[in-house]
Amino acid sequence: PKTLDLLFELAEEAGLREKIQAMFSGEQINETEHRSVLHTATRAARSEELMVDGKNVVEDVWRVLDKIKHFTNAVRNGEWLGATGKPIKSVVAIGIGGSFLGPLFVHTALRTEPAASVKAQGRQLRFLANVDPVDVARALNGLNQETTMVVIVSKTFTTAETMLNARTVRKWITSELGEEAVSKHMVAVSTNTKLVTQFGIDPDNIFEFWDWVGGRYSVCSAVGMLPLSLQYGFGVMEQFLEGARDIDQHFLNAPFEKNIPVTLGLVNLWNISFLHYPARAILPYCQALSKLAPHIQQVSMESNGKGVDMAGNPLKFESGEIDFGEPGTNGQHSFYQLIHQGRVIPCDFIGTIKSQQSVYLKGEIVSNHDELMCNFFAQADALATGKNAVELRAENVPDNLIPHKTFTGNRPSTSILLPELNAYTTGQILALYEAMVAVKGFVWGINSFDQWGVELGKVLASKCRSKMNSARTQKRLIEASDGFNFSTTRLLNRYLKGKTFLQYPEPKDVFPCDIIDSENCIPPDVE
């Protein structure tokens, strides 16, 4: 209690309450990009009013949500048909980063939830994120162009990886159905109407989102709501928004001593900045939450992986952490050895009272879900209490093994027990972790809502792209004058020497034959 009291005092001294209110009210707290931070507005109630630059942004949010509802209902009930008159049954969502990880997390959480799975019967949702052509092949494998819709998610419609994937899938559609099919089989979540229209997408099928929604916080906007509503129906996804809204209101209004995200965020900050623990393990004892850790990796590490404060001064303390995780009990057979007897890694255990899929075998003393949850309870207990030499000797453990079997205990963990995992509680979990990230950033005095650290690699990749094209065109290798360091130059040249088969006399589209069967396709046995 004393530590918590001191943390609450720290929060007050850091102006946490005022910073939370500033975020919810639409002030431009993302100072480096001169933007408001209003992902909470994407799940605000229709009746709320939030004025930003003289405009009620909640009205804009619900205008888009109503459009999503109308459109997805039309697709799901067969009013919207593909170019050949067949109903749409499959959706491929193309996006990367927050345009992928958040929606994938929610989709994975709902796939086996009884109410949601009924709504998704006969439909499939796939995601295409990586520019690796293997990801394209896997995303399109077994799909029929006539019954497939593609959702392209790119705010500017210029993201390099996303747009290359979009052009690739566009070719997959038009090779079978013709250019005119694009307007029936491709829609966009973007703000760049001009580029979307030039791509061949009907302007009426552009779903807007705003610069006050950061990519990693965008799953409640059209970024997630459009593909997920196509799969599960708008009604299910509205429950998801309601769950997120519930935590938002609790975060905004509850006193700090009873405020779950504030308390958990401050404890997390204590572990990082005061106890100097470098990482956190997110360990859901629920297979449906298997994509929570990858999503929170981005939300947390991209937000708080900063080295300077809001004024640009180097931080004098550690901020941010390495987030990783795996569902239990899989993780127990992977990295729990380190957690129990190696470095101290604070853990978040997440379990459910009710399973999405109940299994009980005659003759077993507990159900399958009981067995899972017994491990959930045991792991947190083991981390807390450990096992000492006295206990081991009482069990007749040989002296030479006692050091190896000793568990120090006193290793921090947090246990979150949900009544069940459904659309509503999935929204709660999402908003809880988002709020915890904000709490830490506000107290540290950093900007949790920009991400300049991802930019340099993009610039250098563009340079690689240009020089690679130049070298191939001129039938040469990379030279010192191209401006790469010695190691990168050698790596590039090794790569180019191994890819000479990609040089064609004339430009042409080349695909594996199982994606597009054409005269220029590459059979499976040809490299």
Side-chain angles (χ1 to χ4, degrees):
K2 182 179 180 181
T3 300
L4 276 177
D5 290 341
L6 290 172
L7 287 170
F8 290 134
E9 287 180 22
L10 175 64
E12 293 291 356
E13 186 177 331
L16 177 59
R17 195 180 310 277
E18 294 76 17
K19 291 175 180 177
I20 293 171
Q21 291 171 344
M23 181 178 76
F24 275 86
S25 64
E27 293 183 28
Q28 289 190 356
I29 63 171
N30 179 355
E31 295 180 3
T32 63
E33 296 179 305
H34 309 291
R35 292 174 178 172
S36 301
V37 176
L38 283 173
H39 51 278
T40 54
T42 62
R43 56 251 193 167
R46 190 188 293 267
S47 58
E48 290 183 43
E49 183 178 79
L50 178 55
M51 305 301 294
V52 176
D53 297 329
K55 193 173 186 180
N56 182 9
V57 298
V58 177
E59 289 184 354
D60 290 340
V61 166
W62 276 95
R63 174 176 48 79
V64 175
L65 287 175
D66 287 339
K67 182 177 179 179
I68 291 171
K69 181 179 180 179
H70 175 77
F71 177 76
T72 57
N73 283 347
V75 172
R76 288 171 56 83
N77 66 24
E79 291 178 36
W80 178 287
L81 298 174
T84 61
K86 293 183 178 180
I88 301 295
K89 295 296 184 181
S90 303
V91 173
V92 177
I94 303 177
I96 199 165
S99 301
F100 159 62
L101 292 167
L104 177 63
F105 150 62
V106 178
H107 175 48
T108 307
L110 297 182
R111 277 179 61 190
T112 48
E113 197 278 321
S117 62
V118 168
K119 296 291 185 180
Q121 201 163 23
R123 316 194 67 82
Q124 58 179 320
L125 171 61
R126 299 184 185 182
F127 294 90
L128 172 54
N130 200 334
V131 74
D132 187 336
V134 171
D135 207 16
V136 175
R138 292 180 177 183
L140 301 181
N141 182 47
L143 297 185
N144 181 347
Q145 291 94 329
E146 294 180 280
T147 58
T148 299
M149 175 170 284
V150 178
V151 179
I152 305 170
V153 184
S154 176
K155 185 179 292 186
T156 61
F157 225 64
T158 58
T159 307
E161 303 99 318
T162 297
M163 295 317 300
L164 180 53
N165 278 337
R167 292 190 294 272
T168 302
V169 178
R170 185 184 189 278
K171 184 65 181 179
W172 175 73
I173 289 173
T174 59
S175 68
E176 183 72 19
L177 304 178
E179 292 290 334
E180 66 281 357
V182 171
S183 62
K184 281 291 186 180
H185 290 267
M186 303 188 86
V187 299
V189 179
S190 180
T191 58
N192 195 330
T193 303
K194 180 180 179 181
L195 289 183
V196 174
T197 304
Q198 289 176 357
F199 192 85
I201 293 174
D202 188 332
D204 290 339
N205 298 329
I206 302 173
F207 296 82
E208 183 183 7
F209 68 121
W210 308 270
D211 64 6
W212 40 258
V213 182
R216 57 192 176 274
Y217 296 97
S218 65
V219 65
C220 293
S221 72
V223 168
M225 286 296 291
L226 178 57
L228 291 164
S229 294
L230 284 166
Q231 178 70 4
Y232 297 108
F234 187 83
V236 170
M237 294 314 303
E238 195 167 14
Q239 295 170 28
F240 165 72
L241 296 182
E242 290 168 0
R245 184 188 312 146
D246 173 69
I247 293 296
D248 288 343
Q249 291 304 307
H250 169 78
F251 179 41
L252 177 63
N253 298 312
F256 282 179
E257 294 77 9
K258 297 182 179 180
N259 194 308
I260 298 171
V262 167
T263 301
L264 292 182
L266 290 172
V267 169
N268 197 201
L269 181 144
W270 169 258
N271 288 333
I272 297 165
S273 297
F274 292 88
L275 300 183
H276 310 294
Y277 298 144
R280 172 181 60 179
I282 299 171
L283 308 170
Y285 277 67
C286 175
Q287 188 64 30
L289 288 175
S290 63
K291 296 302 180 182
L292 173 63
H295 177 50
I296 301 307
Q297 270 185 338
Q298 186 193 12
V299 173
S300 174
M301 295 172 72
E302 193 169 76
S303 295
N304 288 341
K306 308 293 168 60
V308 298
D309 63 20
M310 293 288 282
N313 301 309
L315 296 176
K316 298 178 180 179
F317 47 82
E318 290 105 337
S319 71
E321 66 194 341
I322 301 164
D323 283 301
F324 70 100
E326 182 72 20
T329 59
N330 296 2
Q332 293 175 199
H333 298 272
S334 175
F335 50 78
Y336 277 36
Q337 168 62 45
L338 182 145
I339 289 173
H340 282 289
Q341 291 186 310
R343 301 184 67 166
V344 177
I345 307 291
C347 299
D348 287 1
F349 294 103
I350 306 168
T352 64
I353 295 173
K354 181 181 177 183
S355 175
Q356 288 183 347
Q357 302 289 321
S358 184
V359 175
Y360 182 87
L361 296 180
K362 179 181 177 181
E364 300 288 345
I365 62 171
V366 293
S367 71
N368 292 33
H369 186 246
D370 290 338
E371 179 67 26
L372 174 73
M373 292 303 293
C374 285
N375 283 273
F376 167 88
F377 298 119
Q379 292 297 327
D381 198 50
L383 286 170
T385 61
K387 198 165 190 177
N388 60 36
V390 173
E391 293 170 304
L392 291 167
R393 287 193 179 95
E395 296 176 0
N396 297 316
V397 174
D399 285 349
N400 67 308
L401 290 181
I402 284 176
H404 300 280
K405 292 193 172 187
T406 296
F407 292 75
T408 59
N410 195 30
R411 292 173 178 244
S413 69
T414 298
S415 294
I416 300 171
L417 187 60
L418 302 173
E420 60 182 307
L421 184 67
N422 53 29
Y424 187 87
T425 54
T426 299
Q428 288 182 310
I429 284 289
L430 173 79
L432 172 63
Y433 273 92
E434 288 178 346
M436 288 164 59
V437 167
V439 167
K440 290 177 284 185
F442 288 150
V443 175
W444 281 323
I446 62 178
N447 187 349
S448 298
F449 306 103
D450 62 8
Q451 57 283 327
W452 298 106
V454 306
E455 297 301 320
L456 179 58
K458 291 181 181 179
V459 173
L460 295 180
S462 179
K463 176 184 174 182
C464 284
R465 187 184 311 124
S466 175
K467 294 297 183 182
M468 187 180 291
N469 177 264
S470 173
R472 280 206 177 116
T473 302
Q474 299 171 22
K475 296 183 178 179
R476 65 175 179 86
L477 294 176
I478 299 296
E479 302 163 351
S481 60
D482 288 315
F484 298 103
N485 68 52
F486 178 75
S487 176
T488 303
T489 298
R490 291 195 67 186
L491 285 169
L492 274 166
N493 283 334
R494 175 64 65 90
Y495 179 81
L496 288 169
K497 288 176 183 177
K499 301 280 278 192
T500 53
F501 69 90
L502 284 181
Q503 295 179 358
Y504 300 106
E506 298 175 6
K508 57 188 175 184
D509 296 322
V510 179
F511 282 79
C513 293
D514 57 352
I515 297 180
I516 298 179
D517 190 3
S518 68
E519 61 179 345
N520 295 325
C521 72
I522 303 175
D525 58 343
V526 176
E527 295 186 359

